[in-house]
């Protein structure tokens, strides 16, 4: 009865309560607690039936291990979700610019499908194999009413910070490709109607060169490809920064998660296959691209990496501050 009173009192104060017990008289408290833990060896059947968890070895140290594993699973789910959400902005932005500024379409629908269903699947799954951060048991218990799996901080950081950087990377590569082929950025604005006119086979670029409709179409496929490569390169940096939420990646170890490294290698190889496999322009709208266009988004990937390291440093140095509350997801 006293255990039950203590459990109810703690719950009224807003605490998450775990209770251990082995006897029949512990059953009400085990059932009332948020987490009832019964002894597997010495515990009675009544206590086991009322409990949420049974300690098979009756060792209290196993509870600590269980808490650590629970925190690890929660952390890795957050990391995977944050990684998956980020690319939505660079996938959406090309269509917003296409509609509002009437530029030739920077990214195609089939290209987006390859990002969603191919290149990003394995890296997001690989984050489930990430080891626990070394300070995971030093953190305070999370508030279940505020610190949800997807919270405001995670969405803002993924969408409006990392996602925006990736969008800039894609558009930088897009306008670089267009400019090198003769279409300067100012000329691209408002060009959509003429660009998509199938009857217009003498559209002049910034140098006065005339382009047929199909020449423009293959140039558009090239834009799809470089935008895809830009997202892919930035997502590699995004995948690496998601290895930790607080610690520096150098504290965690860059090469500890072999599954993640394999996923990144697969991502790059698949990108090369889609670019350079014969027949891709007419099948999936991918074009062979110059090697230099692979390097255009790399500075943005480095920026993502450095930006996140600064965020983590501020979170560690100033716990409880505005920085910690707004930038720790």
């Amino acid at each position: 009865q006293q255990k039950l009173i203590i459990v109810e009192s703690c719950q009224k104060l807003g605490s998450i309560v775990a209770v251990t017990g082995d006897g029949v008289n512990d059953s009400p408290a085990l059932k009332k607690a948020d987490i009832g833990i019964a002894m597997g060896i010495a515990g009675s059947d009544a206590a086991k039936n009322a409990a949420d968890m049974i300690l098979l070895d009756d060792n209290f140290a196993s509870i600590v291990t269980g808490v650590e594993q629970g925190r690890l699973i929660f952390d890795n789910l957050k990391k995977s979700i944050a990684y998956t959400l980020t690319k939505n902005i660079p996938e959406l932005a090309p269509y917003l610019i296409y509609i509002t500024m009437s530029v030739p379409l920077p990214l195609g629908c089939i290209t987006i499908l390859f990002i969603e269903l191919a290149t990003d699947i394995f890296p997001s799954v690989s984050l489930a194999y990430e080891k626990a951060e070394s300070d995971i048991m030093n953190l305070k218990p999370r508030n279940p009413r505020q610190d949800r799996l997807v919270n405001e901080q995670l969405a803002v950081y993924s969408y409006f910070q990392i996602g925006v950087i990736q969008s800039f990377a894609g558009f930088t590569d897009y306008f670089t490709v267009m400019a090198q082929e003769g279409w300067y950025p100012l000329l691209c604005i408002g060009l959509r109607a003429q660009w998509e006119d199938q009857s217009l086979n003498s559209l002049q670029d910034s140098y006065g060169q005339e382009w047929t409709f199909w020449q423009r179409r293959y140039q558009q496929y090239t834009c799809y490809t470089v935008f895809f490569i830009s997202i892919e390169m930035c997502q590699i940096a995004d995948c690496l920064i998601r290895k930790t939420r607080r610690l520096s990646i150098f504290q965690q170890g860059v090469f500890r998660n072999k599954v993640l490294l394999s996923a990144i290698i697969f991502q790059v190889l698949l990108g090369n296959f889609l670019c350079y496999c014969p027949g891709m322009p007419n099948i999936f709208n991918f074009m062979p691209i110059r090697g230099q266009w692979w390097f255009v988004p790399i500075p943005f990937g480095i920026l993502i990496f450095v930006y996140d390291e600064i965020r983590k440093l501020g979170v560690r140095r100033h716990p409880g501050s505005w920085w910690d509350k707004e930038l720790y997801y």
Side-chain angles (χ1 to χ4, degrees), residues 52-197:
D52 301 295
M53 182 169 66
I54 299 173
L55 285 182
L56 297 178
D57 57 0
D58 284 11
N59 186 353
F60 280 19
S62 300
I63 299 176
V64 179
T65 304
V67 171
E68 183 177 0
Q69 288 300 312
R71 289 188 174 192
L72 173 60
I73 292 169
F74 185 83
D75 271 9
N76 287 351
L77 281 172
K78 263 186 173 284
K79 294 170 185 176
S80 184
I81 292 170
Y83 170 81
T84 305
L85 290 179
T86 303
K87 66 181 181 299
N88 292 340
I89 295 299
E91 288 174 352
L92 175 64
Y95 287 90
L96 295 177
I97 299 299
Y98 171 72
I99 294 169
T100 58
M101 301 184 69
S102 293
V103 299
L105 185 61
L107 187 65
C109 295
I110 296 177
T111 322
I112 291 176
L113 287 176
F114 268 99
I115 297 171
E116 295 288 345
L117 303 177
T119 60
D120 265 14
I121 290 293
F122 294 107
S124 60
V125 172
S126 70
L127 288 168
Y129 293 87
E130 193 62 42
K131 302 295 183 183
E133 297 179 43
S134 59
D135 67 342
I136 192 169
M137 293 302 289
N138 296 330
L139 303 178
K140 294 180 180 180
R142 65 182 180 88
N143 187 333
R145 297 172 182 82
Q146 295 179 359
D147 192 5
R148 304 296 178 89
L149 200 57
V150 179
N151 55 17
E152 180 184 343
Q153 291 84 353
L154 184 147
V156 169
Y157 188 69
S158 296
Y159 281 144
F160 302 118
Q161 296 178 52
I162 305 301
V164 168
I165 295 174
Q166 290 193 13
S167 299
F168 276 111
F171 281 111
T172 300
D173 215 355
Y174 166 76
F175 283 115
T176 298
V177 169
M178 291 294 283
Q180 288 189 353
E181 295 300 319
W183 302 93
Y184 285 176
L186 289 178
L187 183 62
C188 292
I189 298 174
L191 186 65
R192 184 181 70 186
Q194 293 175 292
W195 185 273
E196 296 178 351
D197 187 351

Side-chain angles (χ1 to χ4, degrees), residues 212-267:
T212 66
F213 172 76
W214 282 106
Q215 286 175 325
R216 300 196 302 272
R217 178 53 58 91
Y218 283 117
Q219 173 64 14
Q220 187 165 314
Y221 292 166
T222 303
C223 292
Y224 292 174
T225 307
V226 297
F227 212 107
F228 166 83
I229 293 301
S230 296
I231 295 175
E232 186 180 84
M233 292 293 100
C234 288
Q235 280 291 82
I236 290 174
D238 188 33
C239 191
L240 289 174
I241 68 173
R242 302 301 181 184
K243 286 171 64 67
T244 59
R245 293 199 296 148
R246 290 177 58 89
L247 297 182
S248 167
I249 188 174
F250 301 108
Q251 293 173 289
Q252 180 77 350
V254 180
F255 304 108
R256 287 178 62 188
N257 189 343
K258 305 300 182 186
V259 180
L260 185 144
L261 294 177
S262 301
I264 290 174
I265 292 171
F266 169 80
Q267 195 174 22

